Amino acid sequence: MNRYLISLAAIICAIGAWAYDGTKLWLPQQATGGTSPEITSPKSKDSVVAVAVGELRDSWHGAPVKMVLKKDKALGRDGFRIIPSEGGLTLSASEPSGLLYGAYYLLRKQDSGQSVDTEITDVPRYDLRILNHWDNLDGTIERGYAGHSLWKWDELPDVESPRYREYARVNASIGINGTVLNNVNASSKILSHDYLLKVAKLADIFRHYGIRVYLSVNFASPMQLDGLSTADPLDKGVAKWWKNKADEVYSLIPDFGGFLVKANSEGQPGPCDFGRSHADGANMLAEALKPHGGIVMWRSFVYSPSDPDRAKQAYVEFEPLDGQFAPNVIVQIKNGPVDFQPREPYSPLFGAMPATKQMAEFQVTQEYLGHSNHIAYLAPMWKEFFEYVSPESISAVAGVANVGDDSNWTGHPFAQANWYAFGRLAWNPDEDASTIAREWLELTVVEDDMPENVKSGLVDMMVTSREAVVDYMMPMGLHHLFAFGHHYGPEPWCDVPGARPDWLPKYYHRADSAGLGFDRTLSGSGAVSQYPDSLAGVLNDADQCPEEFLLWFHHVPWNKTLKSGDTMWNTLCRHYESGYDAVKRYQSVWDSAKPYVDEALHQDVSRRLIAQARDARWWKDACLLYFQQYSNMPFPKDVEAPEHTLDAMKKVNLGITNYESPSMDSLDAVR
Ligand code: GCW
């Protein structure tokens, strides 16, 4: 056996009894007993180096490691190289952060039972791998399903919660190097001096783990904080205000990352309020940050009625601005053109602004995928995005965090895997979704005596789970069939007097006696024409359009025969059934894992799977019964007849409002 092969047995001896603890996530377990190998650190006073050395000294049981800091262009800022030799391993990097990522790499390999016996060079695809917290200053989290915000603003800067350091460590261990602390629906208060002191305290802690802090800013801050009469980006006084504010921020936080901005979207102020463009607004902020090396991440999530089809609006507003943004502005674009639906085609803005830096915004929190009650492993969704948008064509990735102050951080234990997978894919989008799932399982849930067939059952459950959610919620390109406000359950019938039509399901599904789906072809809204010609042609033709996007781009007759040889209606029914069946299957997969996972964890996930199966049934019954009113066709024989009536489904009231998530007890009571 190669002397650097890390044997699982040795690790077990060294670590001793292993028990799942949701609070520790996938972090390296500290060694208890055994002899530690020699870790030689480079001569450096940098605190990031000290953390890297400390991690290996605490938890590494393999060969001796020599850590070397030397400039190497090929490694960029965060990359590292590991070279095994007779005397041990050499871990080298250009910068301290590279050593830290190298240390976590070694520990990940060790803790998931893999060997490090060949030379490896690992360089992240993106320099900026960032989490976006939608945390409000009152401690609530918009679309957060894991408790309250981790940031205890009332206690900061005096009280330092131990979780701040853990948070930074967890992120660093998966390569995340930036965090936007507050909601894009931003309170201007975050830029007040008192709050900046609190932010500075967090930045002081995160810095040791190579994590930079960024803030979401409210475009009207000069008016709201200091009573300026305008926030017009071309006004000299406004520009000066931002310049002074940036200077103040950097005097407190020298490595501050920059601003994230949601402007002229869903009621947020922005440059368009003053007759200026998004580029005018972004560039004015960019100018203020430039002397300090800061950046502006300017969101393209806008949908003012520039076109009757909401899916076209961001493109209509942003594409003409190509080439107008300053070099330190990155346009941050949601993966799909509407809004984080269980499945969307990619946003056509990607690739449509060749002279503009772009970054992708993924949603890690499961706003539209069952909150923290459903298993929905999202790596396959993000990989699907990268099948259409080449990783090289964008500059960075951001993920809307699913983290709160729940003891296990994410609510659903399996939602931890989404945080993990986001970091791993932000580092390397070519990683395989099932490899990441297996790795996460090995590092967290799985005990060492679990047989391979049980383990692969769990991997399979994770990898298929997002498709299952798509199937029981909105298959074949359906989207936004959600209940108004909380986005948890089905309400394809939803009508809220006075609400924007494009916030209501009927706007999207367009069910009528002729068929189902949104006609976005050239003879419909024309959204297909925003895609490159070769793809637009395929999407425009109902016979060629991939089935998973069919009802996104076409209004399809109920009895149209699809590629499968069956009608659209029958195919739709079978998708709903298959999603529901998958969740029932997951229940038995999880049961088979019972002897090999922690008992409390097993119970927790089992309970959530019961809720998920019931919800899948609820979705299936509600949507199929509702659509059947228009199709007037019977359910195929292999689809289980609905358990509920449409009237009963329409009466379901979870008793929750905007942004809230139903509790398990309230779900038990209504279904
Ligand atoms: O997905 C929608 C959410 C809003 C969110 C908005 C956005 C932060 O329902 O809660 O606001 O998108 O991304 O700005």
Side-chain angles (χ1 to χ4, degrees):
M1 189 172 77
N2 183 302
R3 60 187 290 211
Y4 303 126
L5 192 74
I6 297 147
S7 106
L8 207 51
I11 297 160
I12 297 163
C13 295
I15 298 177
W18 188 93
Y20 171 84
D21 181 349
T23 64
K24 294 276 179 285
L25 297 140
W26 48 85
L27 287 171
Q29 309 288 314
Q30 282 214 348
T32 54
T35 46
S36 312
E38 192 187 343
I39 308 293
T40 317
S41 70
K43 281 199 179 54
S44 165
K45 290 210 169 68
D46 193 288
S47 66
V48 175
V49 172
V51 170
V53 172
E55 289 287 17
L56 289 183
R57 289 205 173 131
D58 284 349
S59 310
W60 175 249
H61 322 289
V65 181
K66 183 169 179 236
M67 297 166 90
V68 178
L69 261 184
K70 69 163 192 277
K71 294 282 176 229
D72 180 343
K73 271 219 175 100
L75 298 180
R77 193 187 58 198
D78 291 341
F80 58 87
R81 180 171 292 131
I82 298 172
I83 304 178
S85 69
E86 275 308 299
L89 302 172
T90 303
L91 163 59
S92 61
S94 290
E95 299 289 337
S97 55
L99 289 182
L100 184 64
Y101 298 128
Y104 286 124
Y105 173 92
L106 287 174
L107 294 171
R108 184 165 72 234
K109 291 286 165 189
Q110 166 182 276
D111 292 357
S112 57
Q114 298 171 57
S115 56
V116 185
D117 49 9
T118 48
E119 176 174 335
I120 88 117
T121 300
D122 199 359
V123 180
R125 181 68 53 90
Y126 304 113
D127 283 345
L128 180 55
R129 309 171 295 277
I130 190 166
L131 280 183
N132 290 182
H133 287 266
W134 285 357
D135 294 22
N136 299 312
L137 302 188
D138 65 2
T140 57
I141 305 180
E142 184 156 340
R143 313 302 182 186
Y145 312 109
H148 277 76
S149 174
L150 285 170
W151 328 131
K152 304 301 170 201
W153 296 110
D154 293 345
E155 301 174 355
L156 282 163
D158 306 321
V159 182
E160 181 182 326
S161 154
R163 291 194 96 179
Y164 299 154
R165 187 169 291 272
E166 281 171 57
Y167 166 86
R169 182 173 176 228
V170 169
N171 279 316
S173 76
I174 48 175
I176 288 170
N177 68 351
T179 179
V180 182
L181 297 176
N182 60 320
N183 193 353
V184 287
N185 292 327
S187 161
S188 47
K189 210 159 75 175
I190 195 73
L191 288 179
S192 65
H193 192 72
D194 283 356
Y195 268 83
L196 290 178
L197 292 174
K198 298 168 192 278
V199 172
K201 177 72 190 183
L202 292 174
D204 286 345
I205 300 168
F206 297 169
R207 183 173 299 122
H208 305 303
Y209 290 85
I211 303 214
R212 281 183 184 217
V213 160
Y214 299 72
L215 292 176
S216 295
V217 297
N218 183 305
F219 199 77
S221 295
M223 299 168 77
Q224 294 175 7
L225 277 185
D226 282 325
L228 268 64
S229 61
T230 178
D232 181 348
L234 299 194
D235 180 279
K236 288 215 170 66
V238 170
K240 180 98 182 80
W241 187 92
W242 282 104
K243 193 190 166 309
N244 291 342
K245 191 46 86 178
D247 293 348
E248 181 188 349
V249 172
Y250 280 92
S251 71
L252 298 169
I253 311 165
D255 56 354
F256 180 72
F259 295 147
L260 171 64
V261 192
K262 171 175 178 178
N264 295 113
S265 166
E266 300 186 329
Q268 293 303 310
C272 309
D273 300 343
F274 309 95
R276 313 299 182 195
S277 73
H278 285 280
D280 293 331
N283 293 346
M284 183 269 296
L285 295 180
E287 186 63 30
L289 294 167
K290 195 167 86 182
H292 309 282
I295 60 164
V296 174
M297 292 165 288
W298 191 271
R299 296 176 90 224
S300 70
F301 178 67
V302 295
Y303 52 105
S304 57
S306 51
D307 185 284
D309 179 0
R310 173 167 162 188
K312 292 174 71 182
Q313 291 163 357
Y315 183 104
V316 169
E317 247 182 273
F318 273 78
E319 188 272 341
L321 300 175
D322 186 30
Q324 295 182 28
F325 290 95
N328 59 333
V329 175
I330 313 183
V331 174
Q332 180 167 318
I333 309 169
K334 288 189 182 184
N335 59 295
V338 170
D339 187 10
F340 295 141
Q341 297 301 291
R343 169 168 279 125
E344 296 194 25
Y346 78 93
S347 165
L349 255 186
F350 290 105
M353 302 177 72
T356 304
K357 283 197 194 113
Q358 299 188 325
M359 62 192 285
E361 178 180 311
F362 297 135
Q363 196 178 40
V364 189
T365 189
Q366 292 167 235
E367 172 180 359
Y368 293 105
L369 288 104
H371 297 187
S372 51
N373 293 340
H374 296 194
I375 290 185
Y377 173 60
L378 300 177
M381 174 156 91
W382 303 328
K383 291 289 293 181
E384 187 174 298
F385 168 83
F386 285 120
E387 277 168 29
Y388 288 90
V389 175
S390 119
E392 286 74 27
S393 68
I394 56 175
S395 303
V397 286
V400 179
N402 63 349
V403 180
D405 68 358
D406 274 4
S407 65
N408 74 358
W409 302 81
T410 57
H412 199 306
F414 276 77
Q416 293 182 355
N418 289 332
W419 184 6
Y420 184 82
F422 170 73
R424 300 282 287 108
L425 287 175
W427 181 279
N428 179 7
D430 296 333
E431 290 277 1
D432 173 69
S434 68
T435 308
I436 298 175
R438 175 174 286 266
E439 195 177 87
W440 176 80
L441 282 165
E442 305 264 14
L443 295 174
T444 55
V445 169
V446 164
E447 291 184 13
D448 300 316
D449 57 348
M450 182 182 279
E452 175 51 34
N453 64 326
V454 177
K455 205 185 286 179
S456 45
L458 292 181
V459 173
D460 181 68
M461 168 177 85
M462 288 176 69
V463 169
T464 57
S465 59
R466 177 271 186 150
E467 198 63 40
V469 176
V470 171
D471 277 340
Y472 63 69
M473 284 189 182
M474 37 201 95
M476 299 175 74
L478 286 173
H479 48 298
H480 231 310
L481 306 184
F482 292 98
F484 195 79
H486 56 69
H487 296 168
Y488 186 79
E491 270 187 16
W493 52 82
C494 175
D495 229 338
V496 177
R500 287 178 64 128
D502 57 3
W503 280 358
L504 298 173
K506 287 179 186 169
Y507 169 91
Y508 296 98
H509 65 62
R510 314 224 157 179
D512 58 18
S513 57
L516 178 67
F518 198 130
D519 183 357
R520 294 190 166 110
T521 64
L522 295 175
S523 47
S525 83
V528 290
S529 63
Q530 294 181 335
Y531 290 90
D533 289 349
S534 54
L535 182 58
V538 171
L539 299 176
N540 193 51
D541 176 355
D543 292 323
Q544 289 187 62
C545 180
E547 189 183 288
E548 64 267 30
F549 298 127
L550 189 59
L551 304 177
W552 184 284
F553 288 108
H554 296 266
H555 192 69
V556 179
W558 299 103
N559 60 2
K560 179 180 165 63
T561 304
L562 304 186
K563 277 181 214 138
S564 61
D566 213 343
T567 60
M568 183 273 274
W569 168 248
N570 280 358
T571 311
L572 183 75
C573 293
R574 292 206 176 95
H575 274 287
Y576 276 101
E577 182 67 35
S578 137
Y580 173 49
D581 290 346
V583 183
K584 286 189 288 184
R585 201 172 63 243
Y586 299 159
Q587 290 181 290
S588 37
V589 170
W590 187 242
D591 282 347
S592 73
K594 187 160 192 241
Y596 315 105
V597 300
D598 177 85
E599 210 179 307
L601 168 73
H602 195 268
Q603 272 177 17
D604 183 359
V605 173
S606 299
R607 186 161 184 238
R608 289 177 207 261
L609 275 169
I610 292 172
Q612 185 170 1
R614 282 207 228 133
D615 287 346
R617 177 95 213 193
W618 174 30
W619 270 96
K620 173 187 157 218
D621 287 3
C623 294
L624 288 183
L625 287 169
Y626 174 79
F627 291 137
Q628 194 182 36
Q629 301 176 109
Y630 299 95
S631 79
N632 280 312
M633 291 166 79
F635 297 120
K637 289 205 178 52
D638 48 323
V639 168
E640 245 182 72
E643 192 180 291
H644 309 97
T645 64
L646 184 57
D647 278 349
M649 298 284 81
K650 286 187 178 175
K651 285 196 193 111
V652 172
N653 179 353
L654 296 177
I656 54 171
T657 54
N658 226 1
Y659 307 153
E660 283 182 277
S661 186
S663 69
M664 286 289 172
D665 294 340
S666 70
L667 286 176
D668 287 350
V670 291
R671 286 174 296 114

